[in-house]
Amino acid sequence: DTGVSQDPRHKITKRGQNVTFRCDPISEHNRLYWYRQTLGQGPEFLTYFQNEAQLEKSRLLSDRFSAERPKGSFSTLEIQRTEQGDSAMYLCASSLTQGTYNEQFFGPGTRLTVL
Amino acid sequence: AQTVTQSQPEMSVQEAETVTLSCTYDTSESDYYLFWYKQPPSRQMILVIRQEAYKQQNATENRFSVNFQKAAKSFSLKISDSQLGDAAMYFCAYRDGGSQGNLIFGKGTKLSVKP
């Protein structure tokens, strides 16, 4: 266990529904990242926060996706009007900016299936 | 844009033997970091080993070592004395030194360990 938790672990939804995922990082970590991993691929970066500020967003993050980290602790990722192409594993990671490597610790992921 | 390529989708090794996983990357940056992550089936991704580009000495962590060839932009992972618990997906990842931001992953190599 890396100390990063995600909820739910699995989500099955119908096309067009909205879904929200939660990530709880390691408590002292000020950076939080979201990645998406589809079958047979490595994780792809979506967005990241430093404290409560969203500093970077990938072009993969369409208008239907929104992420928040309101108090600089946990984060939520919402997908509106889900599409079948949104089916993937959504990974959260956290890191501390102090130090050289800023090692990212990953959560177990939320597997989304859109029917 | 930076890219990471893992040319071996699957590898197999006999228990107690040595295996090398390949990774090449492309970047115009001089300051960057390279990582190998392990993702066991249905479990969290964990960091195996990391390397700073400015360090010529290859990183080593117990049975895991890397062969970092900066000019060739190659970063291979060697696993010695392979164990059944080493069976997993292995991802090579890159991060710019300045941005301290997201990781760029390869597609991964699935390693099987035969008893």
Side-chain angles (χ1 to χ4, degrees):
Chain A
D1 186 356
T2 62
V4 179
S5 61
Q6 293 185 245
D7 184 69
R9 295 290 303 276
H10 303 273
K11 179 70 176 179
I12 300 174
T13 190
K14 293 182 179 179
R15 188 168 49 127
Q17 298 295 305
N18 299 344
V19 294
T20 300
F21 310 140
R22 176 180 169 123
C23 171
D24 286 272
I26 294 171
S27 60
E28 64 269 25
H29 284 186
N30 56 345
R31 287 213 170 181
L32 188 148
Y33 305 80
W34 284 100
Y35 293 85
R36 182 174 70 183
Q37 185 177 18
T38 53
L39 200 61
Q41 303 293 320
E44 296 174 293
F45 170 73
L46 292 177
T47 188
Y48 87 88
F49 294 82
Q50 179 156 317
N51 300 313
E52 64 275 11
Q54 189 172 15
L55 296 187
E56 189 173 344
K57 291 193 288 187
S58 161
R59 56 180 173 78
L60 293 176
L61 209 68
S62 75
D63 292 343
R64 297 184 297 104
F65 287 70
S66 63
E68 294 183 343
R69 195 183 183 197
K71 297 183 179 180
S73 56
F74 73 91
S75 174
T76 58
L77 177 68
E78 181 183 16
I79 309 175
Q80 296 182 329
R81 304 180 304 282
T82 52
E83 301 173 356
Q84 288 186 327
D86 297 331
S87 295
M89 177 76 84
Y90 290 84
L91 296 170
C92 172
S94 69
S95 72
L96 192 60
T97 50
Q98 295 175 4
T100 302
Y101 291 104
N102 302 323
E103 177 184 343
Q104 294 184 25
F105 293 81
F106 283 81
T110 294
R111 182 169 295 283
L112 173 66
T113 302
V114 182
L115 301 176
Chain B
Q2 293 85 353
T3 59
V4 176
T5 302
Q6 293 180 251
S7 59
Q8 305 154 317
E10 295 188 24
M11 291 284 284
S12 180
V13 63
Q14 203 72 31
E15 195 176 6
E17 297 295 309
T18 296
V19 64
T20 298
L21 308 184
S22 301
C23 172
T24 58
Y25 59 95
D26 190 23
T27 183
S28 58
E29 302 292 329
S30 58
D31 180 23
Y32 54 87
Y33 300 89
L34 296 165
F35 306 85
W36 278 98
Y37 278 86
K38 172 185 178 181
Q39 188 177 41
S42 301
R43 293 181 61 188
Q44 288 164 275
M45 191 176 305
I46 57 173
L47 181 65
V48 174
I49 197 165
R50 56 199 177 199
Q51 175 83 40
E52 296 139 306
Y54 65 84
K55 285 189 176 180
Q56 292 190 345
Q57 185 173 4
N58 290 324
T60 300
E61 289 286 343
N62 300 315
R63 299 183 295 107
F64 299 87
S65 61
V66 298
N67 183 4
F68 174 48
Q69 301 290 326
K70 190 172 184 178
K73 296 181 181 175
S74 170
F75 182 61
S76 61
L77 173 69
K78 185 171 82 172
I79 306 174
S80 304
D81 185 26
S82 296
Q83 301 175 0
L84 295 177
D86 295 333
M89 284 292 293
Y90 286 83
F91 293 97
C92 179
Y94 165 99
R95 179 172 67 76
D96 280 344
S99 70
Q100 298 190 356
N102 58 289
L103 294 167
I104 299 169
F105 287 87
K107 291 187 177 183
T109 297
K110 183 178 180 180
L111 178 67
S112 301
V113 181
K114 297 179 180 178

